[in-house]
């Protein structure tokens, strides 16, 4: 029986393909949505900046390795230390994004547009920050069970770092009253190195602070380049950073100081103790290129990320140098 309507195979195939084609955008959108959300969460953590906390952690661990030897070095502790530090650093970045948006610092021209472009909602960002802080605290608890250090000593360093990561823009907002630079120098220098060192050894060795100085200065260069780049927008938002207080010209001088002083320090160490300290100096030509980009408004946009990349390579070579120098000075 036929109803009088005949469709050729081509027509049937055409309709079938047409229906499938109409379904594809819906299916594609459904598949992309979770991936896009996941990538937004990933970007909110600012993974490119995590080298700033990874390098001092590796440095402190390397110094502990040199003092205690392979038999007493715990690789599990190292893994949990990196995990804990990453969680707290990532949470601090999320808090920074949230309060910069609330205070009107971030705009369409900002480097961080997670909330501006509505890639995540404020509630989602708050949840992410809380999750990262919780994960970091869990990592800390695990560290206290396997580290020879006393819990209260580790807690002093850990919660000092955690509270600082929040207070940078949250609470009193040290970033907004020109105290963020001091905080970064302390947290991403001595505190991180001492924490990683203590996790392995169980005690504090003040000599490790000397080793933290080159990395701390280079890490501060990341923040200072970011604040100098955003100088005008930060000023319009009504906040006060060190870059705003000293102006663009002096900020350039300060950036050059932060960028090149570690190399001067390493050369001095090489002349006095071991040529292995010259290993990180391999990155000096890159530092000159980045400093040149810092000079003009058009090229300064990428300087913070470029400085962070330099920080990673400088840090890796510095850690390797510390592993090769024998004996280690100051320890």
């Amino acid at each position: 029986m036929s109803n009088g309507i005949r469709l050729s195979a081509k027509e049937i195939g055409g309709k079938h393909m047409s229906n499938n084609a109409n379904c594809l955008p819906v299916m594609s959108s459904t598949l992309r949505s979770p991936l896009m959300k996941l990538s937004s969460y990933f970007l909110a953590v600012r993974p490119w900046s995590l080298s700033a906390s990874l390098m001092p952690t590796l440095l402190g661990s390397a110094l502990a390795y040199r003092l205690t030897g392979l038999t007493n070095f715990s690789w599990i502790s190292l893994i949990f230390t990196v995990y804990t530090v990453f969680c707290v650093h990532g949470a601090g970045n999320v808090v920074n994004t949230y309060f910069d948006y609330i205070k009107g610092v971030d705009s369409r021209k900002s480097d961080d547009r997670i909330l501006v472009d509505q890639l995540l909602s404020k509630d989602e960002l708050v949840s992410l920050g809380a999750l990262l802080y919780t994960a970091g605290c869990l990592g800390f608890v695990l560290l206290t069970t396997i580290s020879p250090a006393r819990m209260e000593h580790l807690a002093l360093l850990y919660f000092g770092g955690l509270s600082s990561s929040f207070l940078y823009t949250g609470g009193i907002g040290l970033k907004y009253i020109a105290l963020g630079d001091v905080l970064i120098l302390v947290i991403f220098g001595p505190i991180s190195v001492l924490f990683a060192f203590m996790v392995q050894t169980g005690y504090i060795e003040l000599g490790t602070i000397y080793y933290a100085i080159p990395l701390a200065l280079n890490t501060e260069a990341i923040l200072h380049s970011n604040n100098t780049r955003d100088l005008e927008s930060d000023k319009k938002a009504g906040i006060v950073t060190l870059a705003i207080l000293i102006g663009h010209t002096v900020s350039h001088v300060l950036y050059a100081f932060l960028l090149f002083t570690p190399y001067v320090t390493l050369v001095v160490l090489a002349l006095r103790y071991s040529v292995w300290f010259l290993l990180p100096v391999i990155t000096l030509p890159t530092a000159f290129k980045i400093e040149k980009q810092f000079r003009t408004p058009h090229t300064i946009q990428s300087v913070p990320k470029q400085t962070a990349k330099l920080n990673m390579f400088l840090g890796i070579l510095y850690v390797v140098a510390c592993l090769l120098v024998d004996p280690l000075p100051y320890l």
Side-chain angles (χ1 to χ4, degrees), residues 146-168:
I146 58 178
S147 171
R150 296 179 62 178
M151 185 182 70
E152 54 268 32
H153 293 165
L154 276 181
L156 181 64
L157 292 174
Y158 172 73
F159 286 105
L162 184 148
S163 59
S164 297
S165 73
F166 180 82
L167 292 174
Y168 178 66

Side-chain angles (χ1 to χ4, degrees), residues 48 51-52 218-227 255 304 307-308 311:
W48 60 269
S51 64
N218 191 263
T219 303
E220 166 59 16
I222 303 173
L223 172 70
H224 184 65
S225 64
N226 184 80
N227 288 344
Y255 178 75
T307 309
N311 178 267

Side-chain angles (χ1 to χ4, degrees), residues 62-118:
L63 295 175
Y65 171 83
R66 288 300 310 277
L67 288 186
T68 62
L70 181 60
T71 54
N72 294 319
F73 187 82
S74 172
W75 294 98
I76 296 177
S77 293
L78 173 60
I79 292 171
F80 277 115
T81 302
V82 172
Y83 163 80
T84 302
V85 169
F86 271 4
C87 287
V88 174
H89 187 179
N93 286 343
V94 169
V95 171
N96 189 3
T97 297
Y98 179 82
F99 282 101
D100 273 357
Y101 178 78
I102 293 296
K103 294 180 181 293
V105 176
D106 286 342
S107 64
R108 293 288 180 184
K109 295 182 180 180
S110 300
D111 185 53
D112 183 7
R113 298 195 300 272
I114 293 295
L115 289 177
V116 175
D117 292 344
Q118 298 181 343

Side-chain angles (χ1 to χ4, degrees), residues 262-325:
Y263 294 103
V264 175
T265 304
L266 291 167
V267 170
V268 172
L269 289 172
L271 292 174
R272 292 192 61 182
Y273 300 107
S274 171
V275 293
W276 284 117
F277 281 118
L278 289 176
L279 190 59
V281 181
I282 295 172
T283 61
L284 184 58
T286 303
F288 276 112
K289 290 179 182 178
I290 298 173
E291 185 274 332
K292 188 176 181 180
Q293 292 177 347
F294 186 93
R295 301 176 191 177
T296 59
H298 298 293
T299 55
I300 198 176
Q301 298 301 318
S302 63
V303 167
K305 287 187 178 181
Q306 293 295 325
T307 309
K309 189 181 296 184
L310 172 68
N311 178 267
M312 181 178 68
F313 289 116
L314 174 71
I316 291 172
L317 293 173
Y318 185 37
V319 169
V320 172
C322 289
L323 289 172
L324 295 174
V325 171

Side-chain angles (χ1 to χ4, degrees), residues 19-304:
N19 289 336
N20 284 345
N22 290 333
C23 291
L24 281 175
V26 178
M27 292 174 63
S28 178
S29 176
T30 304
L31 289 172
R32 279 202 309 265
S33 183
L35 293 176
M36 289 178 66
K37 184 66 70 174
L38 186 62
S39 67
S40 297
Y41 280 119
F42 182 71
L43 290 174
V45 178
R46 301 182 199 173
W48 60 269
S49 71
L50 296 180
S51 64
S53 57
L54 175 63
M55 291 305 111
T57 301
L58 293 181
L59 177 61
S61 300
L63 295 175
Y65 171 83
R66 288 300 310 277
L67 288 186
T68 62
L70 181 60
T71 54
N72 294 319
F73 187 82
S74 172
W75 294 98
I76 296 177
S77 293
L78 173 60
I79 292 171
F80 277 115
T81 302
V82 172
Y83 163 80
T84 302
V85 169
F86 271 4
C87 287
V88 174
H89 187 179
N93 286 343
V94 169
V95 171
N96 189 3
T97 297
Y98 179 82
F99 282 101
D100 273 357
Y101 178 78
I102 293 296
K103 294 180 181 293
V105 176
D106 286 342
S107 64
R108 293 288 180 184
K109 295 182 180 180
S110 300
D111 185 53
D112 183 7
R113 298 195 300 272
I114 293 295
L115 289 177
V116 175
D117 292 344
Q118 298 181 343
L119 298 178
L120 293 175
S121 68
K122 288 188 289 185
D123 288 342
E124 287 173 330
L125 202 65
V126 169
S127 298
L128 176 61
L131 178 64
L132 288 170
Y133 275 132
T134 302
C137 289
L138 178 61
F140 168 73
V141 171
L142 291 173
L143 280 176
T144 60
T145 63
I146 58 178
S147 171
R150 296 179 62 178
M151 185 182 70
E152 54 268 32
H153 293 165
L154 276 181
L156 181 64
L157 292 174
Y158 172 73
F159 286 105
L162 184 148
S163 59
S164 297
S165 73
F166 180 82
L167 292 174
Y168 178 66
T169 48
I172 59 177
L174 295 173
K175 170 187 174 180
Y176 308 128
I177 54 176
L179 292 176
D181 297 80
V182 177
L183 188 69
I184 294 300
L185 275 171
V186 174
I187 296 302
F188 290 101
I191 297 298
S192 296
V193 173
L194 285 173
F195 179 72
F197 182 87
M198 183 186 283
V199 165
Q200 294 288 342
T201 63
Y203 61 89
I204 287 179
E205 179 62 60
L206 294 180
T208 57
I209 295 177
Y210 292 114
Y211 288 91
I213 292 173
L215 275 183
L217 292 174
N218 191 263
T219 303
E220 166 59 16
I222 303 173
L223 172 70
H224 184 65
S225 64
N226 184 80
N227 288 344
T228 305
R229 181 197 62 188
D230 298 339
L231 190 150
E232 294 301 327
S233 60
D234 286 349
K235 191 183 296 184
K236 290 178 182 177
I239 69 172
V240 180
T241 62
L242 180 61
I244 291 175
L245 289 177
I246 64 179
H248 194 279
T249 301
V250 182
S251 288
H252 180 206
V253 175
L254 178 58
Y255 178 75
F257 172 81
L258 295 169
L259 196 64
F260 295 121
T261 299
Y263 294 103
V264 175
T265 304
L266 291 167
V267 170
V268 172
L269 289 172
L271 292 174
R272 292 192 61 182
Y273 300 107
S274 171
V275 293
W276 284 117
F277 281 118
L278 289 176
L279 190 59
V281 181
I282 295 172
T283 61
L284 184 58
T286 303
F288 276 112
K289 290 179 182 178
I290 298 173
E291 185 274 332
K292 188 176 181 180
Q293 292 177 347
F294 186 93
R295 301 176 191 177
T296 59
H298 298 293
T299 55
I300 198 176
Q301 298 301 318
S302 63
V303 167

